[in-house]
Amino acid sequence: MQQPISITAISSISSLGKTPDEVWQSYLKNSHCLTSKSVLNQELPVAQIPEHAKGDIEALKQSDQKYKSLDHSVLYAIYASRAAVKQAKWHASDNFGINLGSSRGATELFETYYDSFLQSNKAETLSSPTTTLGNIASWVAHDLQTGGPEISHSITCSTALHALLNGIAWINSGMCNKFLVGGSEAPLTPFTLAQMQALKIYSQVKIQNDGHADSHDQLVEAHEATFPCRALDLEKTKNTMVLGEGASVACLEAGIQEDALAIISGYGYATEILKHNISISSDAQCFQKSMKMALGDLNPDEVDIIVMHAPGTVKGDLSEVKAIEKVFPNPPALTTNKWKIGHTFGASGALNIELAVLMLQKQHFISVPFLKHQKEPKRIKNILVNAVGFGGNAVSILVSKANK
């Protein structure tokens, strides 16, 4: 890296909650945040933002006539961005940059508008401007009134960490000294959920909204029913991915700032040659390359924790562990948050960064409760965060404890 980058604020809204304290308290519980959603005459496990947070989003939507037509993916991003910028004490006059992305974008609006088109053969007036990819960053920039550069992109599940890479690049180039980065996703829609089922990667465990399992027409083992998503369980024989919604954004500033929550001390990226649309090599060569690049000259033994991508699929989880074993002769403590909050696609990398920052601040390791033998870190100083998306686009970010 040309220079260290400080994370001076981070904010999110997800099934974990809407404030840093609420998020941390959710992480301290060994229970998941999944509920049941009725979709296409079936009950599916999903991770939705809690009811009290939905009230805040509805209030935001009604606060401005223009916001009433925006997709939830945009509203989540605006909500999280307001909180992050307030936390960092940034002002519109700072002309900070914005790079926010999404894997799926305005899925709810797109599906709604397309249903209407099929019935009437006419497109509604706002169907185009409210479903374009640039919606998220442009509306956040409008809301925060910054005059800096604004970027939207989609690189599937590594979208948020690619946004972070862009923020680092802009800051290192000297073209901007502050950047707001992250991702937002609202994928709990019929067509999006059906797509994941078509890939045969979605969890088949049915749960009731009190968090307990209901085996219905099939017997589900007690431990499996307790956790519908078995992310990082290498003994599972079925795919258990669950979708979640939310947004997470971070404020980046050049150098080591006095009020830094954590320091970005390394970054890496790699793209894998694909055999088919969703393939990844058995030992995730893209992750091997991205992790080695992020480490730089740092001894692998200096990494205390890896927050894995671990989507809860059989091949995805195993290939990432194999990649870690290739790069780290003595692997550090491993963890993931997808068993708790599901896979939030384009927002997942930023939520992983948030988990890493919280563990660095609190000096407390968040484990995966159903793992039989989980290594505990001896210290928490350096944490590696991974994300990868369809297309083999892997990103690894090394975040370190701020010396205060």
Side-chain angles (χ1 to χ4, degrees), residues 6-247:
S6 293
I7 299 176
T8 54
I10 193 161
S11 182
S12 70
I13 182 170
S14 72
S15 57
L16 294 164
K18 61 178 185 177
T19 66
D21 183 62
E22 195 177 343
V23 168
W24 182 244
Q25 291 304 314
S26 293
Y27 271 127
L28 292 177
K29 299 174 183 176
N30 280 335
S31 56
H32 61 71
C33 299
L34 310 182
T35 57
S36 183
K37 182 179 177 70
S38 180
V39 181
L40 301 176
N41 299 317
Q42 57 184 321
E43 295 294 324
L44 295 177
V46 297
Q48 306 177 79
I49 65 171
E51 288 301 320
H52 66 281
K54 288 181 181 179
D56 284 8
I57 295 300
E58 184 59 30
L60 170 61
K61 186 175 184 178
Q62 299 301 324
S63 68
D64 188 312
Q65 186 64 33
K66 296 185 292 296
Y67 291 1
K68 292 180 180 180
S69 60
L70 298 181
D71 187 75
H72 278 93
S73 59
V74 181
L75 295 171
Y76 294 162
I78 291 174
Y79 186 88
S81 296
R82 282 183 179 182
V85 167
K86 181 179 180 180
Q87 185 186 141
K89 297 182 175 64
W90 287 4
H91 305 284
S93 58
D94 293 336
N95 289 329
F96 53 87
I98 295 174
N99 191 167
L100 298 172
S102 177
S103 174
R104 304 288 162 145
T107 54
E108 183 179 12
L109 280 186
F110 196 92
E111 290 176 35
T112 299
Y113 281 137
Y114 191 64
D115 282 342
S116 174
F117 171 73
L118 291 178
Q119 293 175 26
S120 66
N121 289 325
K122 292 182 180 180
E124 295 188 29
T125 304
L126 295 178
S127 60
S128 175
T130 58
T131 59
T132 55
L133 182 59
N135 246 330
I136 297 179
S138 58
W139 276 111
V140 169
H142 163 81
D143 187 74
L144 300 177
Q145 295 294 295
T146 179
E150 57 182 74
I151 307 166
S152 291
H153 69 237
S154 175
I155 310 180
T156 61
C157 304
S158 54
T159 293
L161 292 195
H162 272 285
L164 193 147
L165 288 177
N166 282 346
I168 292 171
W170 277 77
I171 290 172
N172 278 333
S173 73
M175 295 173 66
C176 219
N177 61 7
K178 295 179 179 178
F179 235 90
L180 182 72
V181 301
S184 184
E185 208 75 53
L188 306 183
T189 58
F191 186 54
T192 308
L193 289 163
Q195 289 176 67
M196 297 305 105
Q197 288 185 299
L199 290 171
K200 302 187 186 308
I201 59 177
Y202 210 84
S203 175
Q204 297 178 36
V205 176
K206 298 175 182 178
I207 59 174
Q208 298 173 337
N209 281 335
D210 59 3
H212 297 293
D214 183 357
S215 59
H216 289 278
D217 56 350
Q218 62 178 8
L219 179 64
V220 179
E221 295 180 11
H223 72 282
E224 183 182 36
T226 304
F227 299 101
C229 178
R230 305 286 299 182
L232 200 47
D233 178 1
L234 302 185
E235 296 180 3
K236 64 179 175 290
T237 57
K238 296 180 290 186
N239 292 321
T240 64
M241 194 183 84
V242 172
L243 287 192
E245 62 180 350

